[in-house]
Amino acid sequence: MNDSYIYVITALLPLSSLMLLLQTNPYHALVIQGISGAVATLVFAVLGAADVALTQALMGTLLAITLYAIAVRSSLVMRLGVLEDGAIKTDDESHLGQLMDDLRTIFGKHYMRLEVIPYTNTQALHRALMDKEVHAACARRDYDNQDLVASEDEQQPYHTTTRVRRLYDIMRTELSSPATSLTYVNAPDSGEEHK
């Protein structure tokens, strides 16, 4: 009996694992993870370990992919705090809209989505940033709290402050919008606040 097909199927396992390691898009990695699990299930079934194949199919493939999908979906969100619509002047809506479009485009390149969370005043917005409810805060300069403002450039009506260094680096290098200036702040750990 010719068993060369077993070698071919078995060779797919390290190949799919290597593809998984080299993948940068988390959604493509999710698909490759499913392929890798299916190949492992097939290898176990072909080698006569039906019980291991069933366990791999249920736990290693279906459950792992479901949990991974939930983790990817929830972790790739950049939460941006802004002031509610009442605080935005009509003539500045185009600046803010353009800024939001630019941010969506930039973070889309990094497989992240932008979630805009409105706050009623700057104190609530600043508290949300420091309490780590949002990753960044964006407000008009004339509404900004002094803690959030680093410079007074009139060409930039908005000021964006982030507490995540990687997000700051991405926005600093890729954001070309003249509507906002950027600042990085180091939010205190919750343990430090209680001391």
Side-chain angles (χ1 to χ4, degrees):
M1 184 174 167
N2 189 0
D3 292 337
S4 61
Y5 70 94
I6 294 176
Y7 298 119
V8 172
I9 293 172
T10 307
L12 291 175
L13 192 55
L15 181 63
S16 61
S17 298
L18 181 64
M19 289 173 55
L20 181 62
L21 286 174
L22 298 176
Q23 188 53 246
T24 58
N25 185 330
Y27 297 105
H28 293 167
L30 185 62
V31 172
I32 296 171
Q33 170 78 23
I35 292 169
S36 181
V39 169
T41 301
L42 185 60
V43 167
F44 293 138
V46 167
L47 294 177
D51 55 340
V52 179
L54 182 61
T55 303
Q56 172 64 31
L58 294 177
M59 300 299 289
T61 304
L62 295 178
L63 183 63
I65 288 177
T66 303
L67 295 176
Y68 184 64
I70 292 169
V72 166
R73 182 70 179 154
S74 64
S75 66
L76 295 177
V77 175
M78 193 282 221
R79 293 179 17 228
L80 177 68
V82 297
L83 294 176
E84 286 182 332
D85 293 337
I88 298 173
K89 296 178 180 177
T90 311
D91 58 341
D92 290 323
E93 287 179 359
S94 63
H95 287 298
L96 184 62
Q98 181 63 41
L99 178 60
M100 294 300 131
D101 290 343
D102 290 347
L103 289 174
R104 282 186 180 93
T105 302
I106 288 169
F107 290 115
K109 292 177 193 174
H110 296 277
Y111 313 107
M112 297 176 71
R113 61 188 169 88
L114 181 69
E115 181 180 332
V116 178
I117 302 172
Y119 288 91
T120 55
N121 56 47
T122 50
Q123 290 79 18
L125 181 61
H126 182 68
R127 191 175 331 107
L129 182 65
M130 291 299 118
D131 291 344
K132 301 181 180 180
E133 295 174 14
V134 294
H135 299 106
C138 181
R140 273 191 54 79
R141 284 194 174 277
D142 52 345
Y143 286 102
D144 269 342
N145 188 320
Q146 292 302 320
D147 294 335
L148 297 176
V149 177
S151 64
E152 296 294 331
D153 186 1
E154 293 300 323
Q155 300 291 355
Q156 299 168 324
Y158 288 94
H159 185 79
T160 304
T161 305
T162 182
R163 61 176 175 78
V164 181
R165 186 66 187 192
R166 178 67 180 136
L167 295 178
Y168 173 74
D169 292 339
I170 289 171
M171 287 189 284
R172 188 186 51 163
T173 57
E174 297 183 30
L175 185 63
S176 60
S177 175
T180 189
S181 60
L182 295 171
T183 302
Y184 169 75
V185 295
N186 193 2
D189 290 333
S190 53
E192 294 176 7
E193 293 174 0
H194 298 298
K195 290 182 180 179

